[in-house]
Amino acid sequence: MRSLFLLASVALLSGQSPLLVKPYLQLGDNPTDASRMTVVFHAAAPGKFTVTGPKGKAIPAVEQKIAATSVAEHFVYSAELTGLKPGAEFLYSVSHDSKIIFQAKGLARKSAGQPSRTVIFGDSGQDNTPQREIAWRTVQAKPDMVFIVGDIVYSRGLVSEYRQKLYPVYNADTDSPNGVGLMRSRLFTGVPGNHDTVTTDTTKYPDAQAYFLYWKQPRNGPALGGKHQPLLQGDHAAAFKTSAGSAFPNAANYSFDYGNAHWTMLDGNDYVDWQDPALQKWVADDLAKAGKATWRFIGFHQPGFNSSKAHFSQQQLRWLAPIFEKGGVDVVFSGHVHNYQRSYPLTFTPSGPGAKKGEVDGAWKLDQAYAEKGKPKGVIYIVTGAGGAGLYNPEQDQNRATWQPFTKLFVSRNHSLSILDLNGKNLLFRQLDGKGQELDRFEIAK
Ligand SMILES: [Fe+2]
């Protein structure tokens, strides 16, 4: 094994690596099978790339040409590893013209019987000190999986921004306060935030919408029928769509199982109308199909229940609250608002649109008896958007008079990350700041 590492190091040190972005681990189009993971990497030129997993067989990597005129044409390669032992570390390597050019250890997905730890944060991709501090804290938390809950890169979701603000921070060659090597060893998942999809002018920004090029996630989302997606304009829209293939726009909504949890990931951007009965049916059916999972979680960027003065009117995801409740959802994770908030366990009945665009009126019922332990009556809504970008509304920290009635805790003076531990019927949630100080904690037992 040592000689393989040496070979890889020599090739990389001598500058011969044809890789633009080193390998990282993704779900691939595989919602449920814990023995499979997809290895993804980017190259400047087409070539004969293979990936070898623990089974020892070289798997030819599938090539995807990315034509964007503002960055050089490049190639995304993917290969699915099979036969992995759930929850176990495995060694994998990438070869170019049969020579090993990269090697790393990955962690296979957890099966339903195994405990798991997920780290969650959003609004992170700023290439700044707080982002790196949260990344460094994430690696020390030793997650099995990381979920970035939108605004993956600022401020336009460009290819060039991925190369500056995502991969160097989370897919570095070593772990240090300047960047961590987590993406090559642990599953990363994501949902699109507003900054990831806001740039629709492909004439001015031909390398926009990189989310749809670089994340390889299940294609089991709802049929969008040309609606509920970023409306691309300009000279390079067709070239982008060819590059993205079926990922655009379908990779914005999907679901998967990890350990004994089912995750439903949604696009919370305002071009999606979550009042559309077809979309609502997809969410309801997805939760109903997750029958065996002990835990159900939802992830989307724009929080329905938010006490911050920032983004207060963007309540469009409140329309789904009754579906989450009926579907047995435990916790909903959002970002967008750059601070940390936890709601009381709540149920909500929408009554109609509110006074301002995006607002949703209705009545909530709060479980104020839930004392951070036991079984809550309702869904807990978490805002964990303090992953790197500048904090919002620090003046509301500890200032309860400014909070909505549904908010139990609001911390806006610290960047932070969420750590979700699942062990059978027990859930432990902790919110830590960049120094490792615990800001919040609750448990659920079923
Ligand atoms: Fe946002």
Side-chain angles (χ1 to χ4, degrees):
M1 236 15 108
R2 169 173 276 206
S3 61
L4 293 182
F5 273 117
L6 278 176
L7 269 173
S9 307
V10 168
L12 295 174
L13 283 174
S14 58
Q16 294 163 1
S17 174
L19 300 183
L20 273 179
V21 170
K22 290 183 187 169
Y24 53 99
L25 297 178
Q26 297 278 281
L27 287 165
D29 189 9
N30 164 29
T32 56
D33 186 346
S35 72
R36 293 168 182 251
M37 277 185 119
T38 293
V39 177
V40 183
F41 50 94
H42 310 179
K48 193 172 158 268
F49 291 96
T50 56
V51 178
T52 304
K55 283 174 125 183
K57 191 169 162 250
I59 304 157
V62 175
E63 181 181 293
Q64 175 191 6
K65 180 172 156 182
I66 310 295
T69 59
S70 56
V71 291
E73 176 179 288
H74 59 287
F75 298 82
V76 173
Y77 286 91
S78 319
E80 188 181 53
L81 298 177
T82 60
L84 304 175
K85 195 174 157 212
E89 279 203 322
F90 61 90
L91 194 65
Y92 69 96
S93 61
V94 173
S95 297
H96 180 235
D97 290 338
S98 304
K99 270 189 229 128
I100 292 176
I101 55 165
F102 177 90
Q103 191 172 50
K105 264 186 197 161
L107 181 74
R109 289 162 67 168
K110 297 290 183 88
S111 64
Q114 295 173 320
S116 66
R117 171 170 292 176
T118 299
V119 163
I120 306 147
F121 52 79
D123 309 83
S124 38
Q126 277 278 23
D127 187 23
N128 63 2
T129 301
Q131 181 192 10
R132 289 168 198 274
E133 195 175 55
I134 296 304
W136 181 229
R137 190 55 53 189
T138 298
V139 84
Q140 289 170 69
K142 297 190 168 51
D144 302 322
M145 166 177 128
V146 175
F147 168 35
I148 304 182
V149 65
D151 285 358
I152 297 162
V153 292
Y154 287 92
S155 57
R156 296 188 173 277
L158 308 177
V159 166
S160 54
E161 291 170 327
Y162 268 71
R163 291 178 185 172
Q164 182 194 351
K165 302 172 183 181
L166 185 81
Y167 301 121
V169 180
Y170 307 111
N171 199 17
D173 284 334
T174 52
D175 291 334
S176 83
N178 287 323
V180 299
L182 266 183
M183 287 188 89
R184 61 191 58 186
S185 63
R186 295 294 181 270
L187 172 64
F188 266 59
T189 58
V191 289
N194 52 306
H195 284 276
D196 300 306
T197 57
V198 72
T199 301
T200 52
D201 180 349
T202 66
T203 304
K204 214 165 164 190
Y205 299 101
D207 66 330
Q209 309 285 336
Y211 174 88
F212 297 99
L213 304 175
Y214 295 157
W215 292 84
K216 304 297 172 197
Q217 305 185 129
R219 298 289 158 72
N220 57 354
L224 299 176
K227 298 182 289 180
H228 314 298
Q229 65 189 67
L231 294 173
L232 303 187
Q233 302 135 18
D235 297 347
H236 303 291
F240 165 79
K241 285 177 186 170
T242 302
S243 298
S246 66
F248 183 84
N250 296 322
N253 302 282
Y254 61 98
S255 70
F256 65 99
D257 293 339
Y258 194 96
N260 63 351
H262 181 76
W263 290 82
T264 308
M265 307 299 216
L266 306 176
D267 186 346
N269 282 296
D270 56 12
Y271 49 73
V272 183
D273 177 9
W274 284 108
Q275 284 184 274
D276 182 325
L279 295 192
Q280 292 198 351
K281 183 176 183 309
W282 181 83
V283 178
D285 288 351
D286 182 73
L287 290 169
K289 277 189 288 188
K292 280 192 203 148
T294 306
W295 302 98
R296 284 123 205 250
F297 304 115
I298 306 278
F300 52 77
H301 186 61
Q302 288 87 346
F305 296 97
N306 159 40
S307 269
S308 221
K309 287 171 185 160
H311 299 315
F312 180 73
S313 293
Q314 292 174 263
Q315 301 167 358
Q316 59 267 22
L317 270 293
R318 283 189 187 183
W319 292 113
L320 295 182
I323 294 169
F324 298 161
E325 292 153 23
K326 199 168 169 221
V329 169
D330 297 287
V331 185
V332 174
F333 295 95
S334 297
H336 196 42
V337 179
H338 302 173
N339 49 44
Y340 170 69
Q341 300 174 45
R342 169 163 63 93
S343 79
Y344 289 98
L346 66 84
T347 52
F348 179 76
T349 309
S351 58
K356 287 191 190 156
K357 186 177 178 277
E359 290 185 356
V360 180
D361 286 344
W364 50 71
K365 214 165 133 190
L366 310 177
D367 177 7
Q368 291 179 316
Y370 172 71
E372 285 73 47
K373 264 187 177 123
K375 200 167 183 221
K377 293 190 190 77
V379 178
I380 295 175
Y381 289 83
I382 300 287
V383 176
T384 184
L391 296 168
Y392 286 171
N393 300 114
E395 77 285 358
Q396 288 185 267
D397 187 290
Q398 306 304 326
N399 185 0
R400 187 168 280 274
T402 70
W403 305 353
Q404 294 294 304
F406 51 73
T407 294
K408 178 74 190 283
L409 185 64
F410 185 122
V411 180
S412 51
R413 290 189 187 277
N414 313 63
H415 285 90
S416 61
L417 64 153
S418 304
I419 304 177
L420 178 69
D421 283 319
L422 303 177
N423 193 349
K425 297 193 168 188
N426 295 295
L427 175 156
L428 168 65
F429 174 95
R430 291 171 295 150
Q431 192 75 10
L432 301 190
D433 74 5
K435 308 274 183 276
Q437 179 198 339
E438 194 169 289
L439 306 173
D440 191 18
R441 164 190 285 252
F442 65 85
E443 294 172 36
I444 301 176
K446 294 207 166 184

